[in-house]
Amino acid sequence: MSSTDSENSRLNFTFYPLLWLSISFAIGIFLVNFLQLDWKIYLITTIISAILAIVFLKKTYAHIFILLAFIAGGGFYSQIQKQNEPLDSLKLLYSSNRINSGDPVEVEGILQGKPELSVGGFSLILKSEKLIYKGEIIKTSGKIRLFSGVRDEQTQAEYDDLALHYGTRIRVAADLNREEKFLNPGGISLISILDQKDIQATASIKSPLLIERLDDVKTFSPFAWIYDYRQNLIESIQAKFSVSTSGILIASMLGNRNFLTKNTAEIFRDGGTFHILVISGLHITFIGGILLLIVRTFTRKRFRQFLITCSVLWIYSFAVGAEIPVVRAALMFTILLFSYVIYRRGTLLNALGACAFLILLWRPEDLFNQSFHLTFASLAGIIGVAFPVIEKLRSIGSWMPSAENPFPPETHKLIKTFCETLYWSERKWRKTLNENIWECSIFKSNYGILLEKRGLQKPLRWIFEGILVTAIVQIFLLPFLILYFHRLSFASVLLNLWVGIFVVLQNLTAILALFFANFSSILALPIIKLSELFNWFLLAVPQIFIEYNLASIRVPTYMGSMKAIYILYFLPLLVLTYFLNKWNPFSLGQKSGVAGGEKSGLISKRTIILFHVFIFLLFTFLIIFHPFSSPTPNGKLTVDFLDVGQGDSALVTFPNGETMLVDGGGRFNFSQLFIEQEDGFKEAFEPDTQGVGETVVSEFLWEKGYSSVDYILATHADADHIQGLINVAENFKVKAALIGRENLDDAEFIEFSQMIERKKIQTIKLSRGDSFDVGGVKIDVLSPVSEDIDENASTNNYSLVLRLIYGNRKFLLTGDIEKEAENELLQNSIVLESDIIKVAHHGSRTSSTQEFVDAVKAGFAIIPVGKTSRFGHPHKEIVERWKNAGAKVLTTGERGTITISTDGKNLEIQTFVKEE
């Protein structure tokens, strides 16, 4: 084997030192979460390992001591960083309960940018300096995100008078918040999301009168100009383009996703292309790549290319807000481009390692960051697999006799034909023959010659390489897409290419339109129309895939120790990546060795490769089709009362494993919003807000391993009960939908009915007297009656009331019934006595009359209600009434998911938040 072959085949410590050192450092940071050792132990281990590495420097095993030193060093560094958290940080003030989340404070600080526009208002990032809490002045540090709604022109004028901008010092009165909103297994941690964005608290400003402008501090003026220009550009785009187009333009170019419509955002999510709208790793890399191509047309000097491209990219990064994911991506691109400048073999993987090492030095906690995982997995796939594969395919297809490779590649005939079709250039071959004194004939695929003549070879090559890169990135991202988004899109391999092309075309034409608009609106108009046309094409194809349910599937995750499968998935993938990088199609004797002298060794290598292909496919099957994710039946009746804020949702799991979701929570409807365009036309706007059914209930079910729910039951049509069931019906396979009274005047009920019909789910109507059995559990329907009671009665009184009986234990689920329905149940002598009751109407005083409470005789009273309720639920007297009757009262807002299970005799109660 030649020295070049040997160099190509090495994938070891000496060839990629920065990659292995960064991996070791990351392992150390990871282990700190499991080995809570004193920082001195990590430090001593680091020093000893480093000394041993120096002592045995010339030995092969010195690498082991170096890696151990970096593992221990990562643990030491992580421990020190945690201990060095500023004592005055808002994060520590809240975690130590020195400040209670939601309590009013006055906070003083410096604005970190101009108000960030949003539909219906704007947000501010305030770098806090001090706050006043209960009369005490407390020095603070940490950023706060403030949101202010702008209701009318007068409010806007008052904010304009404040002249808020980058560097303004203000004092504001607000209720700062730093707490989780929904406490359920599988729930999205709001605190973690804030920490990843370096935000330590949030608040809403109720009025401009609560802001006091103090003074202005000196700032780096170019940044202030950039922020001002960005906001003006957002306003200009909104005025000139439709709501759909402007939302995509503002998100993809300026990093502000507040103007995306709900429908547009869902199209991108369903198609697996939402990352195109998120300015992060891939986005920055793409923009940097475009800049590099432009700069290369003006200069061949690599250092100039590096300097100009990175300067523009960093300015852009600050223009879009300089959030941590953006800065991290810009840093990575800078390092990778520098590796291109120095042009050393194997430098890209080393550069990737250097990126990881520097980022973990900057923020060790980023190791557990979703954005970090997605970015590095994508780049690992591109650098470790996509680039090498494309390079090898190009070399096979474009091979001509040379001193370095005098013999043709030893590959399968089909591979050779395919590569020659895409990469063989007959023109270059004729030119080479004319430039040399020798002549020879080589046989190439006629397909490539034909495509080159017709000008189709390059477009097909670009399409193939785009699809290949996207597919490889999808492979490397698979576990993360399931774990973080529970979504897998096979269509995204094609849609990423389609959407990416039209987003670029739309953005370029929009930039031209905005440029010409400075001189003439008439000149700009046809370009604006062209940009709108590109937007139509951009969304049309993904919509077709979505309409025919070909865009994406929703996938649950494994629980407990089975989650290890998401790590094990990468082991065969890394082995296959290793062999792929070792593969050299021009290695002499590679093909003949299979049948000849090196038979046993090569057969062994082939066996290893085939084995790892099989293991990789097996793990892929287990992750996508999740045959073992659902919990196995345990012979118990279990009810999980979810924390959905101001709403109801309970998952009933029967002894045989069947499931029934009773209500799905929901959110209050947003008032209709409008965006005014340049011609005065106001276009309706529905913001991209995901409901409780998607972000809470569905997440809970996916975390438990479910991809189907046997029954969904809507107790009644209130939004905080039925709205979430719409998302569940869309995301899961459902056998039947159980309903009580139909309310065809209610928008949520109509939408629910339409979803049930579209999904072809069987509908079963229930009323008093119905009784059925599921898995040995008897379910009695106690209310409502089939005919009307009173047309003027509250619709809450039409709620389905169920009594579940398993062995000696009874559960009473009451929906939102009020005292009229409770009295009606009592007057009809219906047996209500139960061990557990779901308290009606979130503990409102409209329900839970003394007679009803006495009749139930519950041991446990569960109240589904948010930690804070704008209605004041649960009312104090109702809580006391249940307690005085001998019930232990538990609220979901305080305890999170409340899980009660029984074998028919004993009761087991667990809560997400443990009792202190």
Side-chain angles (χ1 to χ4, degrees):
M1 182 179 291
S2 67
S3 60
T4 302
D5 294 335
S6 177
E7 185 174 293
N8 282 337
S9 68
R10 289 192 300 169
L11 190 67
N12 53 35
F13 176 81
T14 55
F15 200 54
Y16 303 108
L18 291 177
L19 178 64
W20 296 116
L21 292 178
S22 65
I23 291 173
S24 300
F25 194 74
I27 290 172
I29 296 172
F30 180 78
L31 289 176
V32 166
N33 288 271
F34 302 96
L35 299 175
Q36 296 291 336
L37 303 176
D38 190 88
W39 63 268
K40 299 183 186 70
I41 296 176
Y42 286 106
L43 178 60
I44 292 170
T45 305
T46 304
I47 294 171
I48 292 174
S49 299
I51 292 173
L52 290 173
I54 294 171
V55 171
F56 300 104
L57 188 59
K58 295 183 179 181
K59 303 291 185 181
T60 305
Y61 50 80
H63 297 158
I64 297 174
F65 294 120
I66 294 174
L67 296 177
L68 284 174
F70 271 80
I71 291 172
F76 166 71
Y77 189 74
S78 179
Q79 288 277 52
I80 292 299
Q81 286 290 99
K82 288 180 179 180
Q83 294 179 12
N84 285 342
E85 180 76 35
L87 296 177
D88 62 356
S89 71
L90 287 167
K91 186 189 300 185
L92 287 182
L93 291 175
Y94 280 107
S95 63
S96 63
N97 293 322
R98 189 174 176 187
I99 301 176
N100 295 322
S101 181
D103 283 357
V105 300
E106 287 186 47
V107 60
E108 184 177 313
I110 300 171
L111 294 180
Q112 298 301 287
K114 191 176 181 179
E116 177 80 357
L117 296 178
S118 180
V119 175
F122 61 87
S123 60
L124 298 164
I125 300 297
L126 184 71
K127 186 178 180 181
S128 65
E129 296 178 328
K130 63 181 179 182
L131 59 80
I132 302 173
Y133 179 63
K134 295 183 178 179
E136 179 185 4
I137 298 177
I138 304 173
K139 182 182 177 182
T140 63
S141 64
K143 294 178 183 177
I144 301 169
R145 185 174 64 201
L146 305 168
F147 177 80
S148 180
V150 179
R151 300 178 300 277
D152 47 44
E153 292 182 0
Q154 180 181 347
T155 304
Q156 183 62 59
E158 291 174 351
Y159 277 118
D160 291 341
D161 291 340
L162 288 170
L164 304 175
H165 59 77
Y166 178 53
T168 301
R169 178 180 277 111
I170 63 171
R171 182 183 296 120
V172 58
D175 301 342
L176 291 188
N177 287 283
R178 182 181 168 82
E179 64 181 353
E180 301 292 359
K181 192 171 183 181
F182 303 108
L183 303 170
N184 305 291
I188 300 170
S189 172
L190 297 181
I191 290 178
S192 294
I193 292 174
L194 291 176
D195 287 345
Q196 289 172 16
K197 296 181 178 180
D198 199 25
I199 303 295
Q200 299 196 8
T202 62
S204 292
I205 305 173
K206 298 177 181 177
S207 166
L209 300 176
L210 298 176
I211 299 178
E212 180 183 357
R213 195 181 196 281
L214 301 177
D215 56 26
D216 291 329
V217 299
K218 290 184 178 180
T219 58
F220 186 41
S221 57
F223 289 169
W225 177 83
I226 289 171
Y227 294 143
D228 289 344
Y229 185 77
R230 177 172 178 256
Q231 300 299 354
N232 293 335
L233 203 56
I234 290 174
E235 293 176 354
S236 181
I237 290 172
Q238 278 187 279
K240 292 175 172 59
F241 295 91
S242 67
V243 165
S244 173
T245 302
S246 63
I248 295 173
L249 290 172
I250 294 169
S252 61
M253 290 197 301
L254 302 174
N256 184 331
R257 301 198 301 273
N258 294 325
F259 297 96
L260 282 173
T261 66
K262 185 177 181 63
N263 181 58
T264 300
E266 286 302 321
I267 289 173
F268 277 86
R269 287 194 184 96
D270 286 343
T273 59
F274 193 80
H275 61 273
I276 292 175
L277 302 179
V278 180
I279 297 183
S280 59
L282 288 178
H283 199 106
I284 290 292
T285 303
F286 176 77
I287 292 173
I290 296 293
L291 286 171
L292 181 61
L293 288 174
I294 295 172
V295 173
R296 285 174 66 178
T297 61
F298 297 101
T299 177
R300 293 181 177 274
K301 299 287 186 181
R302 292 190 176 222
F303 184 74
R304 290 179 184 175
Q305 295 172 8
F306 167 77
L307 193 63
I308 296 171
T309 302
C310 289
S311 297
V312 175
L313 190 66
W314 278 101
I315 291 172
Y316 175 76
S317 298
F318 280 102
V320 297
E323 291 188 355
I324 287 172
V326 176
V327 173
R328 180 172 59 230
L331 176 63
M332 291 170 61
F333 184 87
T334 302
I335 296 172
L336 290 170
L337 187 56
F338 182 75
S339 70
Y340 163 79
V341 170
I342 62 176
Y343 199 67
R344 293 180 58 191
R345 294 183 66 84
T347 191
L348 281 178
L349 282 174
N350 264 326
L352 185 63
C355 291
F357 188 70
L358 289 175
I359 288 168
L360 293 177
L361 279 176
W362 173 34
R363 286 169 53 92
E365 65 272 19
D366 275 2
L367 182 65
F368 307 97
N369 187 314
Q370 290 185 13
S371 174
F372 180 88
H373 299 160
L374 296 170
T375 300
F376 271 89
S378 300
L379 287 174
I382 293 170
I383 293 171
V385 177
F387 283 0
V389 168
I390 291 173
E391 183 180 355
K392 293 176 195 295
L393 295 179
R394 285 177 178 176
S395 66
I396 293 170
S398 61
W399 175 81
M400 300 176 187
S402 65
E404 184 179 5
N405 295 312
F407 300 105
E410 296 285 352
T411 60
H412 195 281
K413 185 178 179 180
L414 288 177
I415 296 176
K416 189 182 295 185
T417 301
F418 177 78
C419 294
E420 288 171 358
T421 300
L422 288 180
Y423 299 108
W424 173 250
S425 174
E426 187 70 15
R427 294 194 190 104
K428 288 183 179 180
W429 170 240
R430 294 300 173 190
K431 183 180 179 183
T432 301
L433 286 178
N434 292 334
E435 292 174 350
N436 290 279
I437 60 174
W438 48 264
E439 288 187 12
C440 71
S441 297
I442 55 177
F443 298 97
K444 295 292 182 178
S445 168
N446 290 326
Y447 301 121
I449 298 171
L450 184 63
L451 289 174
E452 185 183 33
K453 285 181 179 179
R454 297 186 177 180
L456 297 174
Q457 193 180 46
K458 281 187 178 180
L460 288 175
R461 184 188 305 164
W462 293 336
I463 292 171
F464 165 72
E465 291 182 354
I467 292 174
L468 179 64
V469 170
T470 303
I472 290 171
V473 168
Q474 288 284 94
I475 289 171
F476 274 77
L477 288 178
L478 176 62
F480 300 114
L481 296 176
I482 304 302
L483 283 168
Y484 299 148
F485 309 115
H486 302 286
R487 190 190 298 272
L488 182 62
S489 174
F490 299 106
S492 67
V493 175
L494 297 174
L495 292 179
N496 271 289
L497 199 60
W498 176 270
V499 171
I501 290 170
F502 280 97
V503 163
V504 171
L505 291 173
Q506 178 184 264
N507 289 358
L508 289 175
T509 50
I511 292 170
L512 283 175
L514 292 171
F515 174 76
F516 283 112
N518 293 320
F519 311 104
S520 169
S521 58
I522 296 175
L523 286 175
L525 184 60
I527 310 177
I528 291 173
K529 296 298 183 183
L530 181 60
S531 186
E532 295 284 357
L533 180 63
F534 286 142
N535 182 73
W536 184 87
F537 280 112
L538 164 67
L539 299 176
V541 171
Q543 281 180 315
I544 294 172
F545 278 85
I546 293 169
E547 185 177 346
Y548 289 96
N549 295 318
L550 299 173
S552 62
I553 58 173
R554 308 309 296 268
V555 184
T557 57
Y558 288 99
M559 297 186 296
S561 60
M562 282 293 290
K563 279 190 181 290
I565 194 172
Y566 301 110
I567 298 175
L568 295 174
Y569 168 88
F570 286 102
L571 297 182
L573 184 58
L574 291 175
V575 172
L576 294 173
T577 300
Y578 167 74
F579 281 111
L580 184 62
N581 278 268
K582 283 189 66 176
W583 174 50
N584 181 6
F586 297 96
S587 178
L588 293 177
Q590 180 167 282
K591 187 174 180 180
S592 61
V594 175
E598 298 180 38
K599 181 177 180 180
S600 60
L602 288 175
I603 288 177
S604 176
K605 183 187 293 184
R606 177 178 294 179
T607 302
I608 293 172
I609 293 173
L610 290 175
F611 172 76
H612 283 90
V613 167
F614 171 76
I615 296 297
F616 171 72
L617 293 176
L618 176 63
F619 284 148
T620 303
F621 172 84
L622 292 175
I623 289 174
I624 295 176
F625 296 99
H626 53 88
F628 309 114
S629 67
S630 300
T632 55
N634 60 6
K636 294 182 179 180
L637 171 65
T638 302
V639 183
D640 295 293
F641 297 96
L642 306 188
D643 175 17
V644 292
Q646 184 73 28
D648 269 28
S649 185
L651 176 68
V652 180
T653 306
F654 296 98
N656 63 350
E658 289 188 78
T659 52
M660 179 172 69
L661 183 67
V662 180
D663 291 330
R667 61 174 174 81
F668 298 107
N669 291 326
F670 288 94
S671 56
Q672 194 170 23
L673 302 171
F674 295 89
I675 292 181
E676 186 172 353
Q677 295 179 307
E678 209 168 40
D679 57 3
F681 176 73
K682 289 186 177 181
E683 189 174 356
F685 174 84
E686 184 180 5
D688 176 31
T689 54
Q690 293 184 294
V692 169
E694 172 74 24
T695 60
V696 180
V697 181
S698 292
E699 289 285 348
F700 171 80
L701 294 170
W702 284 320
E703 180 67 17
K704 288 183 74 71
Y706 291 113
S707 59
S708 63
V709 178
D710 293 291
Y711 308 98
I712 55 175
L713 184 148
T715 57
H716 62 303
D718 280 4
D720 61 336
H721 290 249
I722 199 172
Q723 195 177 63
L725 292 179
I726 299 170
N727 296 117
V728 172
E730 184 174 25
N731 293 332
F732 297 83
K733 295 178 182 177
V734 178
K735 184 191 298 183
L738 312 178
I739 61 172
R741 293 285 186 90
E742 293 182 299
N743 190 344
L744 300 179
D745 296 327
D746 187 275
E748 273 77 23
F749 186 85
I750 293 172
E751 188 178 355
F752 173 73
S753 299
Q754 290 172 343
M755 178 61 71
I756 295 301
E757 184 177 354
R758 184 163 70 86
K759 290 290 185 176
K760 296 181 173 58
I761 299 171
Q762 179 188 6
T763 302
I764 301 173
K765 292 188 67 174
L766 301 176
S767 60
R768 180 183 296 173
D770 290 333
S771 182
F772 55 100
D773 184 283
V774 180
V777 177
K778 183 184 179 186
I779 303 174
D780 294 328
V781 181
L782 309 184
S783 186
V785 294
S786 56
E787 67 276 1
D788 288 336
I789 304 172
D790 181 358
E791 291 184 358
N792 298 319
S794 167
T795 56
N796 286 335
N797 285 317
Y798 295 154
S799 296
L800 279 170
V801 178
L802 306 177
R803 192 165 181 250
L804 282 60
I805 304 172
Y806 184 50
N808 298 326
R809 297 298 182 179
K810 307 172 187 67
F811 292 71
L812 186 61
L813 308 179
T814 57
D816 269 358
I817 61 170
E818 298 179 4
K819 58 185 178 182
E820 293 83 4
E822 291 179 349
N823 291 335
E824 200 272 336
L825 288 170
L826 292 169
Q827 290 169 7
N828 283 274
S829 302
I830 293 175
V831 178
L832 300 172
E833 184 176 342
S834 302
D835 300 284
I836 294 96
I837 182 172
K838 195 286 299 183
V839 175
H841 206 189
H842 320 292
S844 168
R845 61 173 63 96
T846 61
S847 310
S848 299
T849 62
Q850 187 64 58
E851 294 78 9
F852 185 81
V853 171
D854 292 339
V856 173
K857 300 178 182 178
F860 293 90
I862 311 301
I863 305 179
V865 66
K867 191 172 184 179
T868 57
S869 166
R870 68 173 184 171
F871 303 108
H873 298 159
H875 291 139
K876 186 176 180 180
E877 62 267 33
I878 299 303
V879 174
E880 291 301 318
R881 188 173 296 165
W882 283 105
K883 285 182 177 180
N884 293 336
K888 182 175 182 179
V889 177
L890 300 172
T891 65
T892 55
E894 294 287 343
R895 308 304 294 275
T897 299
I898 300 169
T899 302
I900 303 179
S901 60
T902 179
D903 58 2
K905 297 178 181 179
N906 303 310
L907 286 175
E908 297 177 14
I909 299 178
Q910 295 180 333
T911 57
F912 185 78
V913 178
K914 305 303 178 185
E915 208 167 359
E916 296 181 358

